[in-house]
Amino acid sequence: MHWSFWDTLPVGDTFPKELRRLPACIFLVVLLFAAAGCAHYPINRGLMQYDPQAGYQARNLNDAEDDKEVLILLTFSGGGTRAAAFSYGVLETLRDMEVSIHGRKQRLLDQVDMISGVSGGSFTAAYYGLFRERIFEDFESKFLKKNIQGDLAKATLFNPFNWGKLASPYYDRSDLAAEYYDKHIFDGGTFGDMLAHKKPMIAINATDMVHGTRFTFNQDSFDVICSDLTTFPVARACAASSAVPIVLTPITLRNYAGKCGYDMPEALEQAMQPPRDISSRRFDLANSMLPFLDSKKKPFIHLVDGGVADNLGLRAVLERVTLMGDPWTTLKYANVENVHKIVFVVVNAETEIDDKWDRREKIPPFSAMLESYSSIAIARYNVETVALLRESFARWSDEIRKGRCGSGKVSVEPGSCGDIEFYLVEVNFEALDDEAERNYFKKLPTSFVLKPEEVDKLKDAARRILANSREFQQLMKDLQ
């Protein structure tokens, strides 16, 4: 039986006769070059008219009539599948814990109002934002216990059609990864789909490659560049958040700033005014947005791993409060001004710093220096970020009481206007008593592939660490 390459192709007039006379190998080359010429990253849609009330933002996810008692904000760090599995264990634990609020039994998971994710942690956050309870049915098989890294390698190395696409200057490895995530993990889900589910708010964080600015995928950020986030694929946001420099390539956005009638919010406009104190963090943060407002000078935005700017996902919350001016204004903006307990659960799958070079005289290679530079910078920045949050609690409490109670005598009795309490629950490997166990988890790879038993151990560790946290135990006691 004679087999021909042409036997595998569609019949009819699909291909011109001239092409059909070419040898198969030459025809494949033609196809590859055609793919290279056509391959292009998906372009984010422009916004016709700016509407401050529309889109995927916190105020559109919370019910203004919901008399909230507790506000829970989760932050999921970067760290590949290790971080995704660790944060997933926290979600499982919150699902299984019930408290009585206003006389009704409720799951702690249902009290979560925001999840901020970076890199590996963004996948867990995004999957829950899109599919809610389904995450407990198939997230392990679709992501945590799947060799994502191997699948991407096969798609890159062994698919000739992708060779042609990757030869295009407008399409690269992260675009290919985003397509894979969209098809095999997120089922084509968009931020518009997450908006339909209401809370919790899912904040996926990336970093602007040129300016080092943290970029969060919400409509507030997209309003600045006159773009519509509701049609944007969640998979592409996660690809940007996990685009580790050198290993992966940036995810590109079009900047349409100046074409939708964007009117800067009053709080942001005030923040951009030169302060008396030249070291004002609010002023610096606000003015870091200026490049995004000029689409002529910055027509394209290239995004890389969110861990470059903040590997905890915590700065998204801290900087939001800073830009709004104070926590009371922030709570009112999000329609949660009646809250009495604000809980931060910081899930940190931080790696172990490799100290083997302390025992070697040989000059470390470039790869070792690069790894050391990134891990040290991330570790030190994480410590500073958590310390900044904790130090802010007393001031934030005073500012909320002043905004809610006025200038008179303030009562702090339960349920009163002055009743506000902050909690910081840290879930990290340092909380484990056994040194060998701590080292085991810290040395797990940060790639997108783990053994099934490693995933199970990470989930179990997250449950134990959260349940044994003194701050978490105090929260449970206070809620009861």
Side-chain angles (χ1 to χ4, degrees), residues 19-305:
L19 282 180
R20 291 180 63 83
R21 295 193 188 101
L22 293 175
C25 59
I26 297 178
F27 184 80
L28 279 175
V29 172
V30 173
L31 279 181
L32 292 179
F33 276 99
C38 297
H40 199 289
Y41 64 87
I43 298 174
N44 51 299
R45 184 179 297 178
L47 192 65
M48 297 298 295
Q49 180 60 48
Y50 165 64
D51 182 354
Q53 306 299 324
Y56 191 71
Q57 50 182 316
R59 67 167 66 190
N60 294 329
L61 302 179
N62 292 311
D63 186 350
E65 297 180 358
D66 185 11
D67 186 19
K68 289 192 64 64
E69 171 67 21
V70 58
L71 178 69
I72 300 179
L73 304 101
L74 310 179
T75 69
F76 295 162
S77 80
T81 300
R82 181 181 67 186
F86 199 46
S87 57
Y88 177 71
V90 169
L91 287 184
E92 282 189 321
T93 307
L94 296 177
R95 174 201 62 185
D96 298 337
M97 289 188 168
E98 289 188 338
V99 293
S100 179
I101 299 178
H102 299 308
R104 293 187 296 114
K105 284 282 187 180
Q106 300 184 45
R107 302 185 310 173
L108 274 182
L109 182 58
D110 296 328
Q111 301 305 307
V112 174
D113 280 75
M114 178 181 180
I115 307 177
S116 177
V118 175
S119 195
S122 71
F123 285 83
T124 307
Y127 201 89
Y128 182 69
L130 276 174
F131 305 118
R132 296 298 193 269
E133 295 301 305
R134 181 179 138 184
I135 193 173
F136 304 117
E137 300 171 5
D138 63 7
F139 188 58
E140 290 188 49
S141 61
K142 292 188 70 172
F143 185 81
L144 295 180
K145 295 181 178 180
K146 190 173 183 179
N147 188 350
I148 304 295
Q149 190 159 301
D151 284 355
L152 290 176
K154 291 176 183 176
T156 303
L157 298 175
F158 303 115
N159 188 330
F161 185 70
N162 287 336
W163 301 345
K165 293 168 69 176
L166 291 170
S168 167
Y170 308 107
Y171 184 98
D172 217 318
R173 298 186 301 280
S174 286
D175 300 302
L176 183 64
E179 286 187 5
Y180 174 90
Y181 304 149
D182 191 60
K183 180 178 180 181
H184 298 285
I185 300 172
F186 296 114
D187 298 346
T190 66
F191 282 88
D193 296 322
M194 287 207 292
L195 176 62
H197 290 306
K198 297 295 184 180
K199 71 170 191 175
M201 176 80 182
I202 306 298
I204 299 174
N205 301 282
T207 306
D208 177 74
M209 185 191 75
V210 176
H211 295 92
T213 308
R214 181 186 53 77
F215 186 95
T216 300
F217 284 85
N218 56 37
Q219 190 54 51
D220 288 337
S221 297
F222 267 55
D223 280 340
V224 173
I225 63 173
C226 286
S227 186
D228 180 12
L229 181 64
T230 59
T231 61
F232 196 83
V234 170
R236 194 159 176 79
C238 288
S241 184
S242 57
V244 179
I246 300 177
V247 177
L248 290 165
T249 53
I251 287 289
T252 300
L253 300 180
R254 291 282 181 90
N255 186 0
Y256 307 99
K259 300 178 181 178
C260 66
Y262 175 67
D263 188 15
M264 190 177 298
E266 183 179 355
L268 185 57
E269 193 170 8
Q270 291 176 352
M272 286 186 170
Q273 300 304 312
R276 295 179 180 178
D277 180 5
I278 60 173
S279 64
S280 170
R281 290 186 66 250
R282 189 184 184 203
F283 175 74
D284 291 339
L285 281 174
N287 280 274
S288 68
M289 298 176 59
L290 288 177
F292 297 88
L293 290 167
D294 191 341
S295 60
K296 292 183 178 180
K297 290 184 178 180
K298 189 179 178 67
F300 303 103
I301 300 167
H302 302 290
L303 300 175
V304 296
D305 194 306

